[in-house]
Amino acid sequence: MKRLASLAGDLNKCVKCGTCRSICPTFRVIGRESAAARGKLSLIRAYINGDMGLGDDYLRHIKECTMCGGCRDSCPAGVDTVRIINAARAEHVEKEGVSFAASFMMKNLLDYKGVMPRALRYVSKFRGLLFKDSPTENGLVSRFSLPVIGCGRLVPELAGTFFLDTAEAKTLDAAPDINEAKVAFYSGCGVNFLMPDVGLKSIKALEKSGPVLVPGAQVCCGMPAYYSGDVETAKKLAIKNIKVFESYDLDYIITSCATCSHALKNVFKDIIAETGDKALMERAGKFAAKVRDITEFLPIKSPSALTEGQDENQSAGGKKTVVTYHDPCHLNRNQGIRDAPRDLIKSRTDLEFKEMRFPCSCCGLGGGLAMNNYELSVKITERKADSIRDSEADIVATACPGCIVQLRDGLHKYGVKAKVVHVVDLL
Ligand code: SF4
Ligand code: SF4
C-alpha cells in the first residue's frame, strides 16, 4: 500500500469535474463511469479507505485503460491520473502476484539473448497451423480464436533475423572505432523482434553524423512489465540497461520507439527514485539526459536540399502520394514531441502531408490493453481508422512500433487501404 498511499494527496485533488471523461478513449467506447479516470480514482479511493477489495471487478476497471495520459493532461486540478492508476496495478501485483504465464514472460524479457528469442523462434515454426498470410497486408491473420490474440487479428510476422543479430548491429557492437562513437542506438523489442528494418534505417540515418554504437547486451525497456504492475521486473530491466549504456562514453542514446524513449527518459528515473538510492538515482538522471527519440534527433533539411525521389512518390495517376501522421501518446503526451516528426516528413520527403482529424487520439494499444482486452482495444482503433480513411492518405507514418502493429491491424479490420510505416521508413 506504500506506493498507493503516497499518492493519496494527489488523488484527493480530484474535484470530480468529469473533464477527463471527454478525452478518454476507453470511456468513449464503453460509456461507463469506471472506464474514465474519475471513476477509476473513486474505486482506488474506496480501496485505500478499506471500502473495497482487490476483486476481479476492481482489477477489470483498473485495466480498462490505455495509459494514454489524455486525462492527466486535461485535468484542471493537475491530478497525475496515470501514475495513480499504475500504482493501483502495482498494488494488485504486490498483493496477489502475477499469473505463471505473465511471470514467465516478464522474467524472460530480461535478456534479448535468453529464453524469449528462442521461445519466439520455436513458436514461429507452427505459424502455418495458427496463422495464414494476409493477402493484402504485411502480416499474418489468425485462423481461429487464439488466447490473447483472438480470431482474424492481423499480427506482425517475427523477423527472420532479429535486429540485434543482424550483421550490421553486431558489427556496431564491436566496432574498432567504438571509442569515437558518441551516439548509441537502443532498439527495444518491437524493432528487435518485428521490425529490424526500422532499426537498420535508423542507424543509416544516424551514421551520417558519425559512428553509432549498438550495445548487444541491451535488454527490454520494461514497459510491458511496468504497465502490468510488475514494477520490480521493470526496475531490474532499467538498472541493467543503465549499466550497459553507461559503460561507454556517450553523448546520446537514440531509439526509434516512442514507448522506449518515454521509458528511458522518464520511467527509469521514476522507478529508480523509489529505491531511495541516491547514487543510483544520479546515474539514472545522467542516463535519461542522454536519451532522444530519433524523430527529435535527426536534422530537418532545408527545402532546397530536396530534389531526389520525386518521381517515386507519384501515384499511378500522377497524383502526389499523401502522407498523414499519427501521434503516439508516449511521444506526444509524455515527451511533448509533436512538430519534429511532422517536420522530418515535410522537409525530408516530397510526399504531400495532410493532417488527419484527431491525430493525437490514442490508437488503443497502450497500457497492455491490446493484450488484456483486445475487443476494447481494437474498438478504440476504429475512430483512428475513420480519421485515416477521411484523410484519404496513402500512407500513415508514426514513430512507435507498437502503434504500427495496432494501426495495421485496425486498418485491416475496418477496411482502410493506407499503408502504415515508421517515419524513418520515409527518409
Ligand atoms: S479531470 Fe481531474 S479533477 Fe476532473 S474528474 Fe477527472 S481526474 Fe478529477
Ligand atoms: S489514461 Fe487514457 S485511457 Fe486511461 S483513463 Fe486516462 S484518458 Fe482514459
Side-chain angles (χ1 to χ4, degrees), residues 146-150 153 370-372 374:
L146 296 167
V148 181
I149 291 171
R153 183 171 179 180
M371 297 280 280
N372 301 324
Y374 171 64

Side-chain angles (χ1 to χ4, degrees), residues 136-147:
T136 51
E137 314 286 335
N138 191 2
L140 304 168
V141 181
S142 47
R143 289 184 186 276
F144 40 82
S145 188
L146 296 167

Side-chain angles (χ1 to χ4, degrees), residues 9 12 22 38 77 110 133-134 152 156 159 178 183 221 224 253 263 282 287 294 302 330 358 364 378 392:
N12 288 330
S22 63
R38 184 173 72 176
L110 278 166
D133 289 319
S134 163
I178 223 65
V183 172
C221 72
I253 299 162
E282 196 182 326
F287 172 91
I294 194 157
S302 66
H330 287 312
F358 316 120
V378 80
E392 298 182 348

